[in-house]
Amino acid sequence: MKIRLLKDKVIGTGMLALSVLSVSLVLLIGIGLYLRSLPILQQYSVWELVTSSSWRPMKGEFGFFPFIMGTLWVTGMSILIAVPLCLFTAIYLSEYAPASFKRFFLPLVNMLAGIPPVIYGVWGVFFIIPIVQRYIAPHFVEFSTGYTVLAGGIVLAVMIFPLIVSIVVEVLSTIPKELREASLSLGATKWETVKKVILRKAFPGIFAAIVLAISRAFGETIAVLMVCGNVPIAPQSIFDPAYPLPALLANNFGEMMSVPLYDSALMFSAFALLIIILIFNIISRAILQKIEIRNA
Amino acid sequence: MTQTPHIGVKNLNVRIGDSHLLKDININIPDKSVTSIIGPSGCGKTTLLKSFNRLLDDIPGVNITGNVLVDGEDIYGKHADVTQIRKKMGLLAQRPFPLPMSIYDNIAYGPRIHGAPSKKELNALVEHYLKAVGLWEEVKGRLHGSASSLSIGQQQRLCLARGLAVEPEIILGDESTSALDPISTKIIEDLIIQLKEKYTIVLVTHILRQARRVSDYIIFVYMGEIIEFGPTEEILLNPKEKLTKEYVKGFIS
């Protein structure tokens, strides 16, 4: 008897220790990045680094504005494409599709999530880039290589698609069937029921899914790097190239380390990315809480 | 039975996958009275009820044959408009499921779907139907508060009012009081008795005393078949069939 109680206690405490350890990793990474970026922070103010557009490491000019904007543009583009696509797909799967179709399609969607990013990158280069270059961009701008915010957004959207779809399908399946019946029995059509009742009820969950997808999109590196063009100028339109923070880090890490402060600047880019994601998550958490209180 | 049948069921068979849930159902449900469907769990009571407003349509693998005539029109016919059919019937589910919106919007939901009444008309509608279920005094100060902040009993009355607001002819109740406390149950039962003057009411219940209190007719269903149908007192006190006798005396459940 006693040994069972002891076991219970040990396991409880053990799991607490493990969870504290894994959570404190975030903190440790943050501190580590901060310490490594200290040299550049001692030379320039954060404000200078974040707002300056000039990126000439050789001359000691480290402006991160183009990269921060690049990250925001590409992520924003991907969300703009992915969210409507995913919502309609998820709604179709959960509300309209025959069960057999759902059984066949959902595992396929989840398989998309398992494809390595580099493959998406290659697919982007050989498939999306030419389409953007030949068929989309000429309608809007005089010249484009195809390596653009748009291409990055499309590739990224395809990558976060399975994530949003599978979470939203899951969220929709938690909505009681009786709530649908309540709306239908009042003579509402399926679409009216979806629009006015189901989406409303599922909104907090859908919002959380999108937040997760955005966090994922912020950090996606390889695929984006392969299709974005990587020009350190802040994009002005979706047909401009972009150079997101993770791409900067991945492209340059380990090279040109003899340039003074370069190493520290790259660490700062990682630190900035971490902070962006942190701020984004805090804001969305606050919004989510508001929604939940309102919906309760 | 001198009254005209409001809902007429002819040779209705419902299968879901391999299971034959309703077998050759033939019944006429009388107008402006309360008819209770009783029977053991899983006998097909709820399936029968839901076949009346085509809520079975979306179940995977469902197969329905036969006719259900409402006001003489076959609701499973080729040209039947399912939203109009459902609008004719208010459904009161086992537990209240308020729509995720305010008390006001819950009532206004149906009227808004079926045409856009003016703000003034809506206000009047909301007040009228909340009064009809005796909820007006309790909620008039917080019409725009969330419907889920109401007690379960209040929510169920709200759901009834919401159903009445689309001006149905028929009210379908699926064990509508099973989640409620005795006082809320009594309120709902009294409302049902009051409402039968204007509506045809069909209830599914497993509480025989409730069937006795509120209904004029009883349908006894067993294993997907209608065993007996008749006036309440007759079924409960003097059943003709052996199975009915055993059920009402509590030998089978």
Side-chain angles (χ1 to χ4, degrees):
Chain A
M1 195 64 196
K2 264 221 174 107
I3 203 128
R4 284 177 55 220
L5 290 178
L6 189 70
K7 239 187 197 168
D8 197 43
K9 219 169 191 151
V10 168
I11 285 182
T13 328
M15 287 195 284
L16 173 71
L18 289 176
S19 15
V20 167
L21 185 76
S22 48
V23 172
S24 62
L25 262 181
V26 178
L27 207 67
L28 288 174
I29 291 173
I31 292 171
L33 290 176
Y34 175 72
L35 290 178
R36 292 293 297 272
S37 45
L38 256 186
I40 197 166
L41 287 171
Q42 279 162 348
Q43 292 244 349
Y44 307 94
S45 75
V46 174
W47 185 248
E48 256 180 287
L49 290 173
V50 172
T51 55
S52 160
S53 294
S54 132
W55 178 258
R56 293 191 193 85
M58 301 300 190
K59 293 184 179 169
E61 290 172 15
F62 298 99
F64 285 92
F65 186 71
F67 305 101
I68 293 172
M69 288 320 281
T71 299
L72 296 181
W73 271 83
V74 174
T75 304
M77 189 72 232
S78 72
I79 291 300
L80 230 53
I81 298 171
V83 165
L85 202 69
C86 293
L87 275 189
F88 285 117
T89 306
I91 290 169
Y92 177 73
L93 286 178
S94 126
E95 308 297 322
Y96 290 83
S100 54
F101 183 78
K102 194 175 164 182
R103 264 200 309 275
F104 166 78
F105 194 83
L106 257 188
L108 218 63
V109 168
N110 290 329
M111 223 170 73
L112 278 179
I115 296 177
V118 68
I119 293 180
Y120 282 107
V122 173
W123 171 72
V125 169
F126 288 117
F127 191 71
I128 300 297
I129 299 285
I131 290 179
V132 171
Q133 185 195 4
R134 276 177 226 156
Y135 302 109
I136 303 177
H139 294 289
F140 301 94
V141 289
E142 274 178 26
F143 173 77
S144 170
T145 56
Y147 291 88
T148 53
V149 169
L150 180 63
I154 293 172
V155 170
L156 205 47
V158 175
M159 293 179 71
I160 58 178
F161 176 84
L163 186 71
I164 305 183
V165 169
S166 56
I167 298 178
V168 174
V169 166
E170 208 53 49
V171 167
L172 292 178
S173 74
T174 63
I175 291 174
K177 160 175 132 268
E178 289 86 348
L179 195 65
R180 296 181 174 90
E181 288 182 351
S183 169
L184 292 175
S185 75
L186 294 169
T189 60
K190 230 175 199 179
W191 175 238
E192 283 161 342
T193 303
V194 166
K195 202 171 55 174
K196 296 184 179 172
V197 177
I198 295 180
L199 285 185
R200 208 173 181 137
K201 188 82 178 174
F203 188 72
I206 292 173
F207 186 81
I210 294 171
V211 167
L212 199 65
I214 295 178
S215 302
R216 167 102 168 65
F218 271 143
E220 180 47 46
T221 311
I222 280 294
V224 173
L225 170 159
M226 290 168 79
V227 296
C228 269
N230 303 332
V231 177
I233 298 169
Q236 305 286 325
S237 87
I238 60 170
F239 297 106
D240 287 339
Y243 203 165
L245 283 167
L248 169 71
L249 198 60
N251 270 342
N252 299 299
F253 195 75
E255 285 172 28
M256 301 199 294
M257 284 311 181
S258 54
V259 178
L261 288 180
Y262 200 76
D263 163 65
S264 181
L266 290 182
M267 283 305 144
F268 179 75
S269 74
F271 188 60
L273 190 62
L274 193 72
I275 298 292
I276 289 177
I277 291 175
L278 210 65
I279 291 173
F280 171 75
N281 271 287
I282 290 170
I283 293 173
S284 38
R285 187 144 289 269
I287 295 173
L288 198 58
Q289 242 154 29
K290 270 233 171 84
I291 298 169
E292 270 166 357
I293 289 167
R294 203 194 61 199
N295 269 20
Chain B
M1 254 178 296
T2 50
Q3 289 156 311
T4 49
H6 201 161
I7 304 174
V9 182
K10 284 187 188 137
N11 303 322
L12 181 72
N13 278 281
V14 176
R15 292 180 183 81
I16 295 177
D18 294 332
S19 49
H20 199 169
L21 296 183
L22 291 178
K23 298 165 194 162
D24 291 321
I25 303 289
N26 281 290
I27 194 111
N28 286 326
I29 293 187
D31 204 358
K32 299 220 167 38
S33 50
V34 180
T35 305
S36 288
I37 306 173
I38 62 168
S41 315
C43 70
K45 304 188 292 280
T46 300
T47 310
L48 180 57
L49 190 80
K50 287 186 175 173
S51 71
F52 295 162
N53 70 348
R54 292 190 49 176
L55 274 181
L56 301 174
D57 291 15
D58 287 333
I59 298 173
V62 74
N63 177 9
I64 303 165
T65 57
N67 313 91
V68 176
L69 305 171
V70 176
D71 296 326
E73 184 199 356
D74 185 7
I75 65 167
Y76 287 100
K78 259 188 193 143
H79 302 290
D81 173 357
V82 70
T83 60
Q84 286 307 313
I85 290 159
R86 288 180 181 148
K87 181 179 175 289
K88 275 189 186 173
M89 302 185 222
L91 174 75
L92 203 54
Q94 271 188 26
R95 284 196 297 131
F97 281 92
L99 302 173
M101 46 188 87
S102 70
I103 295 168
Y104 185 99
D105 290 336
N106 259 275
I107 309 281
Y109 183 79
R112 277 181 182 145
I113 280 177
H114 297 290
S118 70
K119 186 100 186 114
K120 213 172 125 198
E121 285 170 311
L122 269 183
N123 288 342
L125 273 177
V126 169
E127 182 174 344
H128 176 78
Y129 287 107
L130 283 174
K131 275 181 174 160
V133 298
L135 207 54
W136 176 251
E137 290 302 320
E138 292 161 57
V139 303
K140 65 179 177 187
R142 48 174 171 146
L143 287 177
H144 296 283
S146 163
S148 53
S149 65
L150 299 173
S151 76
I152 297 289
Q154 288 173 323
Q155 286 184 18
Q156 193 64 313
R157 278 187 282 156
L158 179 72
C159 291
L160 182 57
R162 179 180 70 191
L164 295 180
V166 296
E167 297 173 340
E169 302 166 6
I170 298 163
I171 297 170
L172 306 174
D174 183 9
E175 295 182 23
S176 308
T177 60
S178 59
L180 304 186
D181 60 273
I183 295 172
S184 304
T185 302
K186 174 135 183 21
I187 297 175
I188 295 279
E189 285 181 5
D190 290 347
L191 278 169
I192 287 170
I193 294 169
Q194 207 184 309
L195 287 169
K196 75 172 177 185
E197 294 194 356
K198 281 162 75 184
Y199 303 92
T200 298
I201 300 174
V202 187
L203 304 174
V204 162
T205 182
H206 57 256
I207 311 165
L208 291 176
R209 277 168 302 173
Q210 182 173 61
R212 187 165 187 182
R213 281 194 298 266
V214 300
S215 52
D216 304 304
Y217 299 94
I218 287 182
I219 301 169
F220 174 58
V221 182
Y222 188 73
M223 308 271 276
E225 287 178 81
I226 291 184
I227 305 297
E228 200 167 347
F229 168 60
T232 300
E233 298 287 306
E234 224 166 272
I235 297 282
L236 292 180
L237 302 178
N238 195 14
K240 292 189 189 71
E241 299 292 328
K242 189 164 156 277
L243 273 170
T244 319
K245 208 172 288 174
E246 285 176 6
Y247 181 74
V248 298
K249 286 188 176 154
F251 292 127
I252 46 175
S253 66

